[in-house]
Amino acid sequence: MDNKVLIAIVAVVAVVAAACGAVVLLNHGDNGGKNTDSSILNVDSPGTIEGGTYQSVIIGPSVGDGTVIMKSVKILGDLIIRGGGSHSVELDSCEVGGTTTVEKEGGEAPRIYANNTQMSSVNAKTDTIIESSGTGGFDSVTASGGADVTVQGSDTKVDSVSMGNGTGLTVNAGSVNDVTMGDGTTMNVADGSVSNVNVGKDCSVTMQIGANGSVDTLTVADNVSVTTSGEQTEAK
């Protein structure tokens, strides 16, 4: 066979193989896959992903209330969660460079479980559960669109929560440093602790503090209505 023809055949086979590999990586299901090409990974079924570097990861609605586990995965950009249930999205020793957005329609609220993974920014557009352990934690959590955010797990650490109008926050365990409450928001500290709560100007909010919960400092702006139940250590 002519050398030029042979080279052409090899080149075609290489292109086809590369294309097939991309399809496998972009429609990843149960098996672990690694990709160093910084592509987008679409997860369309429950399963475990081990290793790999991706530009972004999208957990699709077809995952339903199933569980997706990521181990030692590096996400350069954003993580988008449109599927997963209350035992759902587990990140074990992962890196997320961008924003994690939860926008799931129907079913259970997804749980983001960050084990030895620091989450820089979480945008909860729909109901979301957050939990961390080990060296994991959450720098910033923003609730919008009427979403309810639940903080659980005794080791969970959250630096700040920003509550958009009409959203809710429940702290069942763990610690939250700063909370900013918008108009029509509701916060229930059943257990765990919140260090500082700030209520914006012209806002009406509701706070409930359980017997095992605590809020250290409550700061309110002008023309604010705060309805509370339970114990409050300080208000100014």
Side-chain angles (χ1 to χ4, degrees), residues 9 13 19 27 49 51 69 73 98 140 149 154-155 172 198 233:
I9 292 174
V13 171
N27 295 279
I49 304 163
I69 301 173
V73 173
S140 173
V149 174
S154 59
D155 294 332
N172 286 329
N198 296 278
T233 58

Side-chain angles (χ1 to χ4, degrees), residues 32-48:
K34 295 184 178 181
N35 182 9
T36 58
D37 295 330
S38 300
S39 62
I40 298 174
L41 174 65
N42 290 299
V43 181
D44 52 19
S45 61
T48 300

Side-chain angles (χ1 to χ4, degrees), residues 66-167:
T67 298
V68 173
I69 301 173
M70 288 183 277
K71 297 182 177 181
S72 302
V73 173
K74 184 175 183 179
I75 304 172
L76 302 177
D78 297 336
L79 168 62
I80 299 174
I81 300 173
R82 295 172 179 154
S86 58
H87 298 283
S88 57
V89 183
E90 300 184 15
L91 297 100
D92 186 358
S93 302
C94 295
E95 296 180 34
V96 182
T99 298
T100 298
T101 300
V102 181
E103 48 185 21
K104 181 188 176 187
E105 297 183 2
E108 299 176 353
R111 179 189 69 147
I112 304 173
Y113 177 51
N115 178 46
N116 297 323
T117 301
Q118 190 67 27
M119 309 293 291
S120 60
S121 175
V122 174
N123 185 5
K125 294 183 177 181
T126 56
D127 295 354
T128 303
I129 302 168
I130 59 175
E131 182 177 353
S132 66
S133 62
T135 59
F138 299 85
D139 292 338
S140 173
V141 177
T142 300
S144 62
D148 289 323
V149 174
T150 300
V151 179
Q152 66 181 34
S154 59
D155 294 332
T156 301
K157 299 179 290 292
V158 183
D159 188 44
S160 69
V161 177
S162 177
M163 302 176 64
N165 294 348
T167 60

Side-chain angles (χ1 to χ4, degrees), residues 163-180:
M163 302 176 64
N165 294 348
T167 60
L169 173 65
T170 299
V171 180
N172 286 329
S175 62
V176 180
N177 191 24
D178 293 311
V179 175
T180 300

Side-chain angles (χ1 to χ4, degrees), residues 143-234:
S144 62
D148 289 323
V149 174
T150 300
V151 179
Q152 66 181 34
S154 59
D155 294 332
T156 301
K157 299 179 290 292
V158 183
D159 188 44
S160 69
V161 177
S162 177
M163 302 176 64
N165 294 348
T167 60
L169 173 65
T170 299
V171 180
N172 286 329
S175 62
V176 180
N177 191 24
D178 293 311
V179 175
T180 300
M181 302 182 72
D183 189 39
T185 55
T186 301
M187 182 175 68
N188 178 16
V189 187
D191 203 337
S193 64
V194 176
S195 297
N196 306 298
V197 177
N198 296 278
V199 182
K201 184 178 180 181
D202 300 325
C203 290
S204 176
V205 304
T206 301
M207 294 175 52
Q208 181 176 353
I209 304 171
N212 296 317
S214 66
V215 173
D216 294 336
T217 304
L218 171 63
T219 303
V220 298
D222 295 334
N223 195 26
V224 167
S225 172
V226 180
T227 302
T228 62
S229 61
E231 297 182 359
Q232 178 62 54
T233 58
E234 180 181 358

